[in-house]
Amino acid sequence: MSVTAQQSQITTQYGAVPFPEAINKTFDTFDKDGDGFITKEEMTTLYRGVFGSGTLNFQLTTALIDTLYRRHDGDGDGKVSSLDFQKSCQQFFNN
């Protein structure tokens, strides 16, 4: 996956997707109950499902998940809003 310099779109194996749309779809994937927030449990389930299965078989410790969650929780209120998630993704792609 790559992002253009202006972050206007993300290029995936399926083609170019507008950056905001890709981030919103990713947020919706994490937000299983649709309440507008990603809980630590939702993030843990998804990360463990992706990284702990198949050929990746990467062990995610509770400490690592806590760190990842804090990075997404920009305002430190204990839950990841759509805005928190967008900002953390933009920071990731800017580095």
Side-chain angles (χ1 to χ4, degrees):
M1 180 180 342
S2 64
V3 179
T4 63
Q6 298 83 18
Q7 290 193 352
S8 61
Q9 57 187 341
I10 296 176
T11 304
T12 69
Q13 64 187 18
Y14 306 108
V17 178
F19 186 77
E21 180 182 331
I23 299 307
N24 290 337
K25 285 184 179 187
T26 303
F27 180 86
D28 291 343
T29 299
F30 276 94
D31 181 20
K32 291 293 186 189
D33 63 5
D35 68 351
F37 297 97
I38 300 171
T39 64
K40 192 179 292 185
E41 291 76 21
E42 289 169 327
M43 185 174 284
T44 300
T45 299
L46 188 64
Y47 277 155
R48 286 204 169 134
V50 170
F51 294 108
S53 63
T55 58
L56 294 176
N57 201 19
F58 181 80
Q59 295 299 316
L60 289 172
T61 64
T62 301
L64 179 56
I65 290 171
D66 288 345
T67 298
L68 292 169
Y69 195 77
R70 279 193 307 275
R71 286 186 181 176
H72 286 296
D73 182 15
D75 59 11
D77 67 354
K79 53 189 174 182
V80 178
S81 68
S82 179
L83 183 60
D84 289 334
F85 192 74
Q86 289 171 14
K87 286 180 179 180
S88 68
C89 289
Q90 287 173 340
Q91 287 175 343
F92 173 80
F93 286 114
N94 281 331
N95 291 326

